[in-house]
Amino acid sequence: MDAYRKFALFLKGLIYETKNGFVIASRSFDNNDVDVDVTGQVFMISGANSGIGYSTARSIALKGGEVHMICRNPERAQKAKDSIVNETKNSKIHIHIVDLSRVNDVLKFADDFTKNHTRLDVLINNAGEMIQEFRLSEVENFEMNFATNVVGPAALTFGLIPLLKASNNNPRVVIVTSAGMLLQKLNKNYFDKVEKDFDGLLAYAQCKRQMTVLGDCWAAEHPEIHFSSMHPGWVDTPAARRGLGDFIVKMEDKFRNSDEGADTVTWLALSPVALAYPSGSYFQDRCVVTKHLFLANTKETKQERTDFYQFMTQTVASCKIDETTKV
């Protein structure tokens, strides 16, 4: 089954997810969908200093939006902010230094942001990293793919949901996932004993499956917010080069650039048309697509989804440190 999934995923990628796939898909795009002025609206984007996150931040800034960039590296964040401000002449670009693998720090940031801001209209969970070697996060001792790609973003989302609900402008959450998730069925216990025979690609794929399922659960739990997840296609980004290595080198001419990869993210964040689709939908190139490969046996049951949502709720809650008890 694993061999079938990998072959089917690669074939799908060659047909639909390359640069040529984007060129073909974009012929049906209506540019009026994103011809909007979002002055006064507030956006938050994780991983906003490079790749898809940077392209998305720049596009939203060009439309007048206030952008909060969640970044890990202060120097790269400042350079990205300066570039966006210089290009767009939009001064409402803000940097927040947060390491998503440090989950208590994420929860504290979300709490502080909620206390100090009156609105958040769109949250874009973009940051991601494919970590090829097994290692644990420094604080909570989660496997690093799980900490960075699932627990951290989940904590950010859980923490900001009350502020999103305060928006009077159709609040949204966009989750940037990966078609790699098609290799994996949801398994809430995947990271319990992952050190043996560790595979960074499969760990990353499981993370993206888990985030997509979380999007489904949040959509059901919070109908006031429009949730969507998306796959950007094969995109040449710094994170992809770190994770995929030789594959990008060999297939470089087939990879999309960051602007092409960010197109559907921006569309989901800005377009009124996107809100017409059911919350919890999964997109590629502005179209709803399947969350499972044909005959791949990756569909979770309703009970598995419920159990996973409860598990993640408890996992995030367990990371919160009561500051009043610290000595």
Side-chain angles (χ1 to χ4, degrees):
M1 182 60 72
D2 286 347
Y4 165 73
R5 290 175 186 171
K6 288 180 179 179
F7 173 76
L9 178 62
F10 180 70
L11 187 61
K12 175 181 178 294
L14 280 178
I15 297 171
Y16 299 109
E17 297 164 16
T18 60
K19 177 179 283 290
N20 189 56
F22 178 81
V23 170
I24 293 171
S26 65
R27 292 170 185 166
S28 64
F29 292 174
D30 185 347
N31 288 330
N32 291 323
D33 286 358
V34 290
D35 186 15
V36 294
D37 182 350
V38 292
T39 301
Q41 294 186 37
V42 181
F43 299 77
M44 183 179 291
I45 308 169
S46 65
N49 61 268
S50 67
I52 292 170
Y54 174 83
S55 291
T56 303
R58 184 183 62 207
S59 294
I60 291 171
L62 283 167
K63 301 294 183 181
E66 177 180 327
V67 179
H68 292 264
M69 304 168 61
I70 308 301
C71 305
R72 186 174 54 185
N73 183 286
E75 291 76 20
R76 289 199 289 266
Q78 188 62 52
K79 183 177 179 181
K81 174 188 173 179
D82 292 345
S83 178
I84 291 171
V85 171
N86 289 337
E87 179 181 349
T88 66
K89 311 307 177 189
N90 183 342
S91 62
K92 294 182 179 180
I93 313 298
H94 309 279
I95 295 172
H96 306 276
I97 302 303
V98 184
D99 184 342
L100 292 179
S101 72
R102 303 173 69 93
V103 185
N104 179 64
D105 290 356
V106 176
L107 289 168
K108 186 177 186 304
F109 163 74
D111 186 51
D112 289 345
F113 190 89
T114 299
K115 290 176 180 176
N116 293 306
H117 294 79
T118 58
R119 68 183 293 175
L120 176 64
D121 299 291
V122 181
L123 169 64
I124 301 173
N125 282 310
N126 164 73
E129 188 79 20
M130 185 189 299
I131 300 163
Q132 293 288 7
E133 72 282 357
F134 178 83
R135 55 190 172 97
L136 299 177
S137 61
E138 293 180 1
V139 179
E140 289 90 9
N141 289 322
F142 295 123
E143 189 278 325
M144 275 296 287
N145 283 284
F146 183 52
T148 304
N149 299 309
V150 183
V151 193
L156 185 65
T157 306
F158 276 123
L160 292 172
I161 279 175
L163 188 59
L164 284 159
K165 286 185 176 181
S167 169
N168 60 358
N169 196 62
N170 298 313
R172 317 182 195 198
V173 174
V174 181
I175 302 168
V176 180
T177 66
S178 166
M181 75 167 191
L182 300 174
L183 295 172
Q184 290 278 293
K185 181 178 180 179
L186 177 70
N187 179 1
K188 74 180 180 67
N189 300 316
Y190 182 91
F191 294 99
D192 287 353
K193 298 180 180 179
V194 74
E195 184 173 4
K196 184 179 180 181
D197 301 322
F198 179 77
D199 186 315
L201 174 62
L202 294 182
Y204 181 79
Q206 177 64 213
C207 288
K208 293 305 184 181
R209 171 63 70 190
Q210 292 186 3
M211 281 303 296
T212 302
V213 173
L214 274 176
D216 295 337
C217 295
W218 282 322
E221 187 81 5
H222 304 287
E224 309 95 321
I225 303 171
H226 189 272
F227 289 85
S228 57
S229 54
M230 61 80 64
H231 170 50
W234 291 4
V235 186
D236 188 351
T237 66
R241 284 189 173 267
R242 289 191 296 270
L244 296 175
D246 289 345
F247 181 73
I248 287 189
V249 174
K250 293 175 182 177
M251 307 287 287
E252 189 170 17
D253 62 324
K254 297 187 180 300
F255 271 67
R256 304 177 180 195
N257 61 41
S258 293
D259 289 345
E260 293 164 340
D263 176 83
T264 297
V265 184
T266 304
W267 180 80
L268 288 168
L270 298 180
S271 174
V273 175
L275 295 172
Y277 292 90
S279 185
S281 296
Y282 176 65
F283 293 82
Q284 181 180 315
D285 293 335
R286 303 192 188 185
C287 291
V288 173
V289 294
T290 181
K291 298 173 183 176
H292 302 276
L293 290 169
F294 182 62
L295 296 178
N297 192 32
T298 56
K299 293 183 179 180
E300 71 280 353
T301 65
K302 183 178 180 180
Q303 188 60 52
E304 287 171 331
R305 185 178 297 187
T306 299
D307 290 347
F308 173 68
Y309 188 63
Q310 183 179 25
F311 166 73
M312 284 306 306
T313 303
Q314 293 171 347
T315 298
V316 169
S318 72
C319 297
K320 187 174 181 62
I321 299 174
D322 186 352
E323 298 292 330
T324 63
T325 64
K326 292 176 70 175
V327 178

